[in-house]
Amino acid sequence: MWFGGAIGANEPGAKCGTRRERMRGRSRHVLLVGACAAALGFVPAAAVATPGSGVSATVVAEGTSQGKLKVKTPKGRTDVTFREITVQPGGSTGWHTHRGQLIVVVKSGTLTRTLGDCSVEVSPAGTSFVEPSGAAHRHVGRNLGTEPVVLWATYLLPHGSELSEEAEAADCPATG
């Protein structure tokens, strides 16, 4: 017996409805199933996630890079150090290198860096950059402004490395 026809279709002598009525019924069924499936697509994914508890977070600094950031970690174990660095007006980091890369956000002030090829990069508050690793990438950071420069730096160094190593100054005009 087919129960999808007209009312009373299972009674003896009853007609099962026209082909058009059966098709309409199937179309309504397909529409209903489609609507339910579409509605499920609007259920937020967070509804199935487990809620957190006892956790708080504060954004301490954020910055946007001027281009794509290319980050490489050393082979083997990596020491990750997060550090706040303040350079007073007129101050300088001195010429140095790093054995691994640094990801830096300028929280306040403007940092002026002179690189080993004597090019100069100026990074104002709200920007970020990656300092490359190795002796070929010596540099000096200076505060040429009137307010302190505050940097938030994440160091990605080979396990056991110093945070920085002193380097010979490049022969650049007026780098201090």
Side-chain angles (χ1 to χ4, degrees), residues 64-127:
T64 303
S65 68
Q66 294 179 352
K68 184 177 179 180
L69 294 180
K70 297 177 184 175
V71 179
K72 298 177 186 176
T73 58
K75 292 181 181 178
R77 294 174 60 195
T78 301
D79 290 341
V80 178
T81 303
F82 186 75
R83 190 174 177 205
E84 180 181 85
I85 302 162
T86 302
V87 183
Q88 295 299 326
S92 167
T93 63
W95 283 89
H96 64 280
T97 61
H98 306 281
R99 289 192 179 186
Q101 290 187 320
L102 276 66
I103 302 171
V104 181
V105 174
V106 182
K107 183 175 182 190
S108 61
T110 299
L111 180 69
T112 302
R113 291 180 299 136
T114 302
L115 309 181
D117 64 359
C118 296
S119 63
V120 176
E121 293 184 5
V122 178
S123 302
T127 60

Side-chain angles (χ1 to χ4, degrees), residues 4 15 24 27 31-32 47 50 52 68 72 82-83 90 94 105 109 115 125 135-136 143 145 151 160:
K15 294 185 179 181
R24 249 190 233 151
S27 295
L31 283 172
L32 179 62
T50 57
K68 184 177 179 180
K72 298 177 186 176
F82 186 75
R83 190 174 177 205
V105 174
L115 309 181
N143 181 352
L151 308 173

Side-chain angles (χ1 to χ4, degrees), residues 28-43:
R28 285 185 194 137
H29 179 76
V30 168
L31 283 172
L32 179 62
V33 170
C36 289
L40 285 175
F42 292 107
V43 175

